[in-house]
Structure formats: structure tokens, C-alpha cells
Amino acid sequence: MVNRAVLAHRLFTGISRRHLACLIKELAVSWQAGLEGRRHAVRGGARKRAAGAGARHQLVFVDRLVATLIHLRHDLPHSVLGLLFGVDRSTITRAIAEVRTLLAERGCAVPDRPGLRLRLRLRLRLRLRLRLRLRLRTLTNVFAYAQAEGIELRLDATEIQVRRPPAGRGGRRAFVSGKKKQNTMKATVIADWRGRTLWTDALRPGRMHDATAARNEGIAICFQHFPDVEVLLDDGYLGLSRDHRGQAITPPRKPRPGALPGRVEQWERDRHGHSSDRITVEHALADHKRWKQLTRWTHRRDRLPDTYRAIVGLVSDRTINA
């Protein structure tokens, strides 16, 4: 067994010790509640022994969290982590599955705001009151936050290579990306003007178009209910720009051949300015890809969405006050 204090170092977990302490305080209660719920289901009723009685965990919650962070950061095999923590591989597998789900449910941190209470008037003349408890979990939360704070959003999609589905399985072609010519899954991410991640969706098969993936998340409804929110997009979202003019902003179109030199120069300046404003979402995507599991996914595809959301939540914590 390796010294547990060494394994909790930032080089292994990807986060500071202070951040780790906050995670322990935030997730320990939820993990314990889930554990008691599973035990209650197995027993079929209330516990008959006193709290604390019975066998002790070989891997306490702090070690489970550290093992999960190391797995997300460096993609170490479960057997290697079991050797480091002195437990069986199956124990590590169960621990990572439990903690990864808790991390994925956290959402993204609200920049510079410990808490926020929003009252917004919708088109249907209803009042919507949202309580953003430190985290942004849905696309509606992000648009409400952006309208209340007057923030211009940046949206983009990224693709992660995954294993090819077995031959003969239905829906196999859905993961073949027309852009990368590989089997991928696509994530849609929203960031602010400083590159701080605010939201990511449930991942989609790589063959799906970027604009279609955003529509499936309900972005059209958010544009209708939050008319003051502007989102900077790239050329892959021209359909959204056509349907929501003034809100979904894409780069200016290139002048036709034979246009005046002054018109061409103005187009180049406008396009460069749009790219400079939108580049922060590219920086946010680069922060996510620094975690090795997102460089190329080699595990089961149904576990990638939770993994991506867990990493995005951790990255947003680090950049909350950037």
C-alpha cells in the first residue's frame, strides 16, 4: 500500500487539497445516504443493529473519492488502483461507479456567486423563480443566469473517440462521425466570456449534427423564454442563427466574388472579432481534454456521459473565481 497522503496530492487527483476537502464535505452525506438506502432495500426494512455496528469498510469514503479522481485524471486500470489502496479490483470498481455518479450530478459552479435567486417574466406572463444553489445543472439554469447577469454565452461541440460497436449491432453507424471519420460521441458545452464552463449536455452519437444536438437539449425553448440572452456560435450552427436572429450569433457570411475591397476587409475584421470573442469556449474544451479519460474513451460508451459531466463539474470548480 502507498501512503494515502501521497495519493491525495494534486499530481494524482488533478485538484488541490483544499478542493478535495470541499468535495469530501459536499459528497460524504449523499454517499452515506445512498449506502443506507441500498442496505434498506436489501434488508427489506429498518436496521435492527445500532449505527456503526458490523464490519468496517476496507475503503473509506475519502479513499473512494481519491481513487475515482485518480481514475478520471490518469485513467489508471482498476487493478492498479486496487494494488495502490490494498483492496480487490472489484472494490475499486464499485467505489468508482458510486462516486462518479455523485460527481456527475453536481452540475457546474456559478462564477463569482455563492448563491442566486432569480425572478424572470416569461412570455406566457408567468413568473419563474429559480433558486440556483451554487450549481448550474440544466440549460434553463444557464440561460436564466445569463439573462440575470447580462452575460454573453459561448456554445460549441466537441467529439470524443469511443470504441467501435460490435458488428451486426443496431445503430452502429450512428457513432461514425462525418467530420472525424471515427466512432465518436459528441458533447455540447457552454462557457462564458472568461472560458469558465457553465454547462454540458447528455452526450450524443457522433453522427448527429451540432445544431441538432443543441435543439434536442431544448435550446429553442430557452431562446424563446429568455429573449435577452445572446450566444456566440460557429458556422456549424447556421440553422440556429436563421431561426433565432439576434440571439444565436454566427460569423458573418463571406462576400460574394467581385465584392469591393472595402467590403472584404470589413468582413475579415468582423470575422476575426467574432473568432476572438468565441475562442474562450475552445479554451474550456481544452481544459476538459487535459483529463486523460477524455482524450480517448476506451470503456463502455454508456459510462461516458457521467464521466464527462463529472470532469466538467471539477473543472468548473477550479475556474469559479478565475
Side-chain angles (χ1 to χ4, degrees):
M1 281 174 45
V2 181
N3 189 336
R4 305 296 174 88
V6 175
L7 293 177
H9 194 274
R10 184 169 192 164
L11 293 177
F12 289 98
T13 62
I15 62 176
S16 65
R17 294 185 184 273
R18 180 180 179 182
H19 188 182
L20 178 61
C22 294
L23 281 179
I24 294 171
K25 183 178 179 180
E26 178 183 350
L27 299 178
V29 176
S30 299
W31 176 79
Q32 187 64 36
L35 177 65
E36 292 298 331
R38 290 189 294 272
R39 288 176 174 174
H40 186 277
V42 172
R43 289 192 305 263
R47 65 182 304 154
K48 299 179 180 179
R49 305 177 70 180
R56 300 293 187 269
H57 285 288
Q58 288 183 295
L59 201 65
V60 297
F61 173 72
V62 175
D63 292 338
R64 291 168 184 258
L65 178 58
V66 171
T68 303
L69 293 174
I70 295 175
H71 183 60
L72 294 175
R73 181 68 174 177
H74 300 286
D75 201 17
L76 288 183
H78 295 180
S79 56
V80 175
L81 291 171
L83 181 64
L84 293 176
F85 285 91
V87 296
D88 188 71
R89 179 197 59 80
S90 60
T91 303
I92 294 292
T93 301
R94 288 193 300 271
I96 290 176
E98 295 170 0
V99 178
R100 179 174 54 205
T101 302
L102 295 177
L103 291 173
E105 293 173 350
R106 296 174 66 236
C108 296
V110 180
D112 306 324
R113 291 290 185 276
L116 214 56
R117 193 175 186 87
L118 305 177
R119 291 179 97 180
L120 299 166
R121 184 178 295 276
L122 302 183
R123 269 191 163 184
L124 300 178
R125 299 189 178 278
L126 300 175
R127 283 197 174 275
L128 174 67
R129 180 176 294 179
L130 297 177
R131 180 70 174 181
L132 305 183
R133 302 181 186 276
L134 301 176
R135 319 296 299 182
L136 299 170
R137 294 183 174 87
T138 65
L139 189 60
T140 304
N141 289 160
V142 177
F143 271 71
Y145 164 71
Q147 179 155 309
E149 298 296 316
I151 294 175
E152 189 178 52
L153 302 176
R154 280 84 170 149
L155 183 146
D156 201 2
T158 184
E159 296 185 50
I160 302 169
Q161 186 178 357
V162 298
R163 292 192 300 181
R164 183 172 59 182
R169 177 172 294 181
R172 191 174 186 227
R173 291 188 59 198
F175 294 92
V176 180
S177 170
K179 179 180 179 180
K180 291 185 174 292
K181 310 303 181 184
Q182 297 173 338
N183 288 268
T184 65
M185 292 188 71
K186 180 173 295 182
T188 303
V189 176
I190 291 181
D192 65 1
W193 62 281
R194 302 180 84 175
R196 297 173 295 197
T197 304
L198 301 179
W199 173 81
T200 186
D201 67 340
L203 274 70
R204 308 284 180 173
R207 197 176 187 85
M208 182 177 293
H209 195 275
D210 294 356
T212 303
R215 287 191 178 98
N216 288 346
E217 291 296 328
I219 194 170
I221 298 176
C222 290
F223 276 131
Q224 295 173 7
H225 288 175
F226 304 98
D228 297 332
V229 176
E230 296 180 354
V231 183
L232 297 184
L233 306 164
D234 61 13
D235 286 328
Y237 297 91
L238 292 177
L240 285 178
S241 177
R242 181 188 63 248
D243 297 338
H244 307 281
R245 296 189 181 278
Q247 290 185 273
I249 304 173
T250 54
R253 307 309 299 160
K254 186 176 181 179
R256 295 187 177 185
L260 296 176
R263 176 71 181 89
V264 176
E265 292 177 2
Q266 182 64 39
W267 167 77
E268 291 179 348
R269 287 193 296 269
D270 293 343
R271 188 175 183 87
H272 183 270
H274 183 276
S275 298
S276 299
D277 291 338
R278 203 190 62 83
I279 195 65
T280 56
V281 69
E282 303 286 354
H283 296 162
L285 296 176
D287 285 341
H288 306 163
K289 296 296 183 69
R290 291 192 178 98
W291 294 67
K292 190 174 180 180
Q293 285 209 337
L294 299 185
T295 56
R296 185 178 186 275
W297 183 252
T298 58
H299 310 281
R300 292 178 52 174
R301 293 190 308 277
D302 57 353
R303 295 174 183 170
L304 179 56
D306 277 353
T307 299
Y308 198 97
R309 287 195 293 265
I311 291 175
V312 164
L314 294 170
V315 172
S316 72
D317 290 340
R318 291 188 308 159
T319 59
I320 184 173
N321 295 315

